[in-house]
Amino acid sequence: YDDISNPDILTKYRLAADIANLSLRGVLTQVVEGKDIAEICTFGDSLITKQTAKSFKSKKIEKGVAFPTCISVNDCVCNFSPLTGESRALKTGDVVKIDLGCHIDG
């Protein structure tokens, strides 16, 4: 059975959620005036990658970034994950929305 009634699947979901929450807290520390949005997005993805690498080392399963870190600012509604040349720095008073996702075994 491939749903949350399977304890192994539930464990993977919970671990992925814990990693996403930990990464979100880390990204929040980077949301400061003058910080480049592309750098923050890269930082968030690297947190997810590092944390998922620590899990299920004995099994060869897919794991890592399920949804890239996006920092949407002010009137940008969602999914802003800029390349370095397309980025900008955060300013005082910016309203920031953070999206990111983690997966373990799909």
Side-chain angles (χ1 to χ4, degrees):
Y1 49 105
D2 290 334
D3 58 30
I4 61 171
S5 64
N6 180 331
D8 293 334
I9 290 176
L10 187 57
T11 297
K12 291 172 185 174
Y13 281 179
R14 285 185 173 151
L15 180 57
D18 289 343
I19 292 169
N21 284 327
L22 178 70
S23 299
L24 180 58
R25 284 193 296 273
V27 168
L28 283 171
T29 67
Q30 302 298 302
V31 178
V32 295
E33 180 183 9
K35 190 73 171 183
D36 183 76
I37 295 170
E39 290 177 14
I40 299 170
C41 293
T42 300
F43 177 78
D45 290 350
S46 70
L47 287 176
I48 293 171
T49 301
K50 288 176 186 173
Q51 290 300 313
T52 55
K54 296 177 184 177
S55 63
F56 295 96
K57 289 183 177 182
S58 62
K59 296 181 180 180
K60 187 171 181 131
I61 60 172
E62 284 190 45
K63 54 191 174 183
V65 175
F67 188 82
T69 303
C70 297
I71 308 293
S72 304
V73 180
N74 299 329
D75 60 342
C76 179
V77 177
C78 63
N79 303 342
F80 187 59
S81 187
L83 299 172
T84 303
E86 302 171 338
S87 191
R88 74 167 185 85
L90 292 175
K91 300 175 193 163
T92 299
D94 279 343
V95 176
V96 175
K97 184 180 105 179
I98 302 167
D99 294 299
L100 54 80
C102 172
H103 80 98
I104 296 176
D105 203 16

